[in-house]
Amino acid sequence: MTGTAGRWSTGTGRTGLIKGIVCVALGLILFFLPVPAGVDPRGMHMLGIFIGTILALILQPLPTSAVAIIGLALAMATGSMSTKEAFSGLGSGSVWLIVAAYFIAQGFVKTGLGRRIAIWFLSKLGGSSLGTAYGLAVTDLILSPAMPSNTARLGGVLFPIITSIGKLQDSTPEGGDASRKRIGAYLCATANNVNAVTSAMFLTAMAGGPICMGLAAEQGITLDWVTWALGGIVPGLVALALLPRVVHAIFPPTLKDTPEARQNAIQEQRSMGRMSVQERIMGMTFLAMLVLWCLGSTLDMAAVTVAFLGVSILLVTHVIDWKDMAANKSAWQTLIFFGILIGMASQLNTLGVISWIGGFLAGGIEGMSWPVVLVLLTIFYFVLHYLFASELSQISALYTLFLTVAIAAGVPSLLAALMLGAASALMGAMTHYASGPAALIFGAGYLTTPEYFRIGAVCGVVMLATWLTVGLGWWHIIGLW
């Protein structure tokens, strides 16, 4: 569960110094750029610090959390962020939902329930790593319409299964590169990108969907559940069929065909015996959380509330204890780096930097045909997520802006609203700070930063291309344009 030392280790000596100088140099260039009209005087300072921090997260002259803390300190020292603004991201419910997901996964592993589930999966689909990945993808797809938190879905349901399968197959971050790459890293990379696809298929598959619906309604566009689901089902199924194979091709597990694993799993399943009391408590707690997550909107109960209620039950029943939680380095490291980035990205919007970028974009597409405009706006909206640390922050900052620009350029309003809504979910897997699920997978230690960016870029191209080709074609067939 915890990240390895290798996961957080970085270049030292001359290499580390060169990386640090590059990050600082780029940050300083942006820091001292003239302030555009409509942007707060602190805006370019914040942009320079943020971009320098993001580059440092990629090059890693220092460990991830250390880079985030330094960026935060510079933002406060230069007056780009007040103390309250600097720490606002650490109070985000999305961040704490990730932390809770780590603790829930600990319960699955500690009780042995995760191992039991993993053995079941392997007994059905364990003949190959690809089959296991498709099994997890189907599970995500089935749960996605009823779970409006993609972090809860991946972190609370699938992640414990993945870690348990990894342990069963001797594939863990603690074992080094050879171990993590056996199957665990592949399953993590695939699950992360599959989660982005399922989040784009249904209005209720992530928290950002209803927000997109509300923002579209403000523009007089009716974007309901049926329309979103009907529009997303075909491109979504195509993407789900492609992604496990795409990741398998560009980031193959060393453990590919495992016919003996399936037979061994069947035998072990027979010898495991009945579930222990702790396993039953873990299972019932999980099922209760799943029900509450599905009914969250009806009960007006946030996903993070449900998660911590579950963690509380696990603590009271001694399924996990505080020592387990305190020792979970991945949870606390993720809290630091992701919480800080959310606050910094939010500040860019507050200072007018994001609106300035949007205005610059509007002038660049003038006179183009609407299909070209839709494609360019969707791609740019997607790429801009490199500047954001959550889907919700970008939706709040840019969705309405891009929607109005698209409509003004002649794009059919429903088409624009639906495509930007889908892109708002698909972008959640492109970087290790792109969303709650992405940060959770990164913190687990199975993937390095360069691997994350490479896989995210390739899968991002596949997902966008699917929605812009298969999606648009399907939407024409069903009469959306």
Side-chain angles (χ1 to χ4, degrees):
M1 292 297 302
T2 56
T4 64
R7 140 63 66 198
W8 303 102
S9 64
T10 56
T12 57
R14 186 186 184 93
T15 302
L17 179 62
I18 293 174
K19 290 178 179 179
I21 291 173
V22 170
C23 298
V24 171
L26 178 60
L28 286 174
I29 291 173
L30 295 172
F31 190 96
F32 289 109
L33 283 178
V35 180
V39 176
D40 187 288
R42 299 176 297 161
M44 302 313 290
H45 295 170
M46 189 68 244
L47 181 62
I49 294 170
F50 184 77
I51 296 299
T53 301
I54 295 301
L55 183 59
L57 289 174
I58 299 171
L59 299 179
Q60 288 198 297
L62 291 171
T64 300
S65 295
V67 168
I69 290 173
I70 292 171
L72 182 72
L74 290 174
M76 291 189 291
T78 58
S80 303
M81 301 180 78
S82 66
T83 303
K84 182 178 180 180
E85 292 166 337
F87 292 99
S88 61
L90 294 173
S92 166
S94 298
V95 175
W96 283 100
L97 182 57
I98 300 169
V99 174
Y102 279 115
F103 300 149
I104 294 164
Q106 277 184 298
F108 272 91
V109 173
K110 187 177 180 180
T111 62
L113 180 60
R115 179 180 178 83
R116 187 181 293 273
I117 296 173
I119 288 173
W120 184 88
F121 260 90
L122 290 175
S123 71
K124 303 298 181 184
L125 301 164
S128 69
S129 54
L130 191 60
T132 303
Y134 275 112
L136 293 170
V138 171
T139 303
D140 196 333
L141 175 62
I142 293 172
L143 293 173
S144 57
M147 290 188 68
S149 171
N150 52 359
T151 304
R153 195 164 67 249
L154 180 56
V157 181
L158 298 174
F159 181 64
I161 298 173
I162 291 171
T163 55
S164 296
I165 290 174
K167 287 180 180 295
L168 198 63
Q169 296 287 2
D170 191 26
S171 179
T172 65
E174 293 83 359
D177 283 353
S179 177
R180 71 179 177 87
K181 288 183 177 180
R182 280 174 61 81
I183 190 172
Y186 165 70
L187 293 181
C188 280
T190 305
N192 182 50
N193 285 280
V194 163
N195 184 258
V197 171
T198 57
S199 298
M201 292 175 69
F202 304 98
L203 179 65
T204 50
M206 73 161 189
I211 295 177
C212 290
M213 179 181 68
L215 294 174
E218 293 178 1
Q219 305 300 315
I221 305 168
T222 301
L223 190 59
D224 55 30
W225 195 95
V226 174
T227 301
W228 191 306
L230 186 60
I233 192 67
V234 170
L237 290 176
V238 171
L240 289 179
L242 291 174
L243 283 179
R245 292 189 177 276
V246 169
V247 178
H248 198 277
I250 64 174
F251 188 63
T254 57
L255 193 65
K256 295 182 177 66
D257 297 316
T258 57
E260 74 287 347
R262 184 175 182 182
Q263 293 303 318
N264 292 339
I266 292 173
Q267 293 176 5
E268 186 164 353
Q269 192 176 32
R270 293 170 181 168
S271 64
M272 287 187 72
R274 302 178 65 179
M275 294 175 62
S276 67
V277 173
Q278 295 292 77
E279 282 182 280
R280 291 177 185 276
I281 292 173
M282 183 68 235
M284 288 188 293
T285 301
F286 167 71
L287 289 176
M289 292 168 60
L290 187 59
V291 171
L292 290 175
W293 273 327
C294 294
L295 299 177
S297 57
T298 303
L299 300 175
D300 193 25
M301 185 176 292
V304 67
T305 303
V306 174
F308 273 95
L309 282 174
V311 171
S312 299
I313 294 172
L314 299 182
L315 285 169
V316 170
T317 56
H318 301 290
V319 171
I320 60 174
D321 55 38
W322 173 247
K323 290 178 65 176
D324 297 325
M325 295 168 64
N328 196 327
K329 293 181 181 179
S330 294
W332 304 117
Q333 287 170 330
T334 302
L335 171 67
I336 292 173
F337 98 85
F338 192 52
I340 288 174
L341 287 184
I342 283 180
M344 294 175 72
S346 177
Q347 185 70 349
L348 285 176
N349 184 45
T350 301
L351 298 178
V353 175
I354 301 302
S355 296
W356 166 66
I357 294 174
F360 179 78
L361 171 67
I365 62 172
E366 188 175 355
M368 296 181 180
S369 63
W370 75 257
V372 174
V373 169
L374 179 61
V375 170
L376 291 179
L377 284 178
T378 303
I379 293 173
F380 193 58
Y381 183 82
F382 187 90
V383 172
L384 272 178
H385 198 58
Y386 282 105
L387 298 178
F388 288 88
S390 76
E391 302 106 325
L392 291 178
S393 61
Q394 178 161 340
I395 291 169
S396 301
L398 294 181
Y399 183 85
T400 299
L401 174 64
F402 272 66
L403 182 59
T404 54
V405 169
I407 294 172
V411 180
S413 58
L414 181 58
L415 210 63
L418 191 56
M419 184 63 76
L420 291 173
S424 296
L426 298 176
M427 64 192 182
M430 60 193 298
T431 67
H432 60 299
Y433 55 86
S435 65
L440 184 145
I441 290 294
F442 175 75
Y446 278 99
L447 298 168
T448 66
T449 304
E451 288 169 350
Y452 215 112
F453 273 78
R454 177 169 61 88
I455 297 168
V458 173
C459 290
V461 169
V462 172
M463 287 186 278
L464 273 187
T466 301
W467 252 263
L468 289 171
T469 54
V470 175
L472 283 177
W474 168 243
W475 297 352
H476 185 64
I477 292 173
I478 61 178
L480 295 185
W481 63 282

